Amino acid sequence: MNAKSLEVAATANRFARRRLRTRQELLAAAVRVLSEKGFHDTKIADIAAAADVGVGTFYLHFETKDALFDALVEDTIRRLKAAIDAERAQARGGVDLMRRSNAGFCRFAEQNREVFRIVFSHPAAYHDVIRRAQDVFAADIRQNIRDGIAEGVFAPVPTDVAAQAMIGMATQILSWWTEHESIPMSTLEDTMTTIALHGLLPAAPQTKGAS
C-alpha cells in the first residue's frame, strides 16, 4: 500500500471513529433529555443541543426521534447481552449459570435505570421490547435449562415454555422496578433467582445434623 492509500485509509478511519463517537454522544444526550422531559415532550432540537451538535447532524445519524429510540433500545439490549455473557462465561454448572445470569441482569439494570425507565415509559415500545428481549435471550436461557436438565439439577420441563416464562418474569419485574425506586436491587435479584430455581415452594427443612 502506497503513502496515498495509507493517507486515505487513515482519513476514513478517523471519519468512522468520529461518526461513531457522535452517534454515541447523541444516544447519551437522548437518555438525559428523555429522562427529564419524556418521549413525547422531547424535540429533536433538544437532543441535538444536549449533544452539542446541530439538528442537521442528528439527521445524519437518525431519520426520526423514533429511529433514535429504536437505536437506544438496540444499544441497551446489546450491552445487556454482553454483561450477562461475561457472567455466564464464569459459571460452573446450570444452577450457577442461572444465578450469574440473574446477577448480571440486575447489576446492569441498576447501572442503567434511567435507560430502562425511558424504554418502559414509552407504551408503544413495551411489547416490542419484550419481543426483542425474547429474540436475543431465549436461545441462551433455553440452552441453560437443557443443560440443567441433563445435569439432573432442573426438572424436565418444556424448555421453550420455561425460557419464555423466565424472560417474561425478568421483563415485567424490570418494568415494575423502574417505578419503585425504594426496592433494593438485591431483593429483586434474590426473588428472581429463588423463583427460577425453587418456584414458590418453601425450602425443605434441614434434618438435624445436616450441613
Side-chain angles (χ1 to χ4, degrees), residues 76-91 96-109 111 116 133 136-138 140-141 144 166-167 170 174 192:
T76 302
I77 291 175
R78 177 187 57 77
R79 292 188 296 114
L80 173 58
K81 178 72 163 60
I84 293 176
D85 284 350
E87 287 289 338
R88 289 170 59 87
Q90 304 175 60
D96 189 37
L97 187 57
M98 188 71 73
R99 292 185 186 280
R100 287 183 177 274
S101 295
N102 280 342
F105 172 84
C106 290
R107 188 179 304 113
F108 182 89
Q111 294 169 350
F116 285 110
V136 171
F137 297 108
D140 286 343
I141 297 174
N144 182 187
M166 293 289 297
I167 292 170
L174 178 58
M192 287 173 57

Side-chain angles (χ1 to χ4, degrees), residues 29-91:
V31 171
R32 296 193 301 272
V33 178
L34 290 170
S35 64
E36 178 183 343
K37 304 184 69 170
F39 183 84
H40 293 292
D41 291 333
T42 295
K43 298 179 174 57
I44 287 174
D46 299 330
I47 297 171
D52 196 25
V53 300
V55 172
T57 299
F58 177 97
Y59 284 114
L60 290 175
H61 295 269
F62 307 104
E63 292 184 0
T64 63
K65 187 171 64 172
D66 283 324
L68 179 142
F69 182 87
D70 286 345
L72 182 61
V73 171
E74 293 293 348
D75 179 69
T76 302
I77 291 175
R78 177 187 57 77
R79 292 188 296 114
L80 173 58
K81 178 72 163 60
I84 293 176
D85 284 350
E87 287 289 338
R88 289 170 59 87
Q90 304 175 60

Side-chain angles (χ1 to χ4, degrees), residues 175-206:
S175 174
W176 176 83
W177 169 76
T178 60
E179 300 301 325
H180 295 78
E181 296 188 8
S182 63
I183 306 297
M185 179 52 72
S186 58
T187 299
L188 269 65
E189 181 183 340
D190 291 345
T191 303
M192 287 173 57
T193 301
T194 297
I195 292 174
L197 295 176
H198 306 292
L200 296 176
L201 295 177
Q206 289 188 335

Side-chain angles (χ1 to χ4, degrees), residues 120-142:
F120 287 110
S121 67
H122 188 10
Y126 183 76
H127 293 293
D128 189 45
V129 169
I130 294 177
R131 179 187 60 77
R132 296 189 202 191
Q134 288 172 336
D135 291 345
V136 171
F137 297 108
D140 286 343
I141 297 174
R142 188 163 54 244

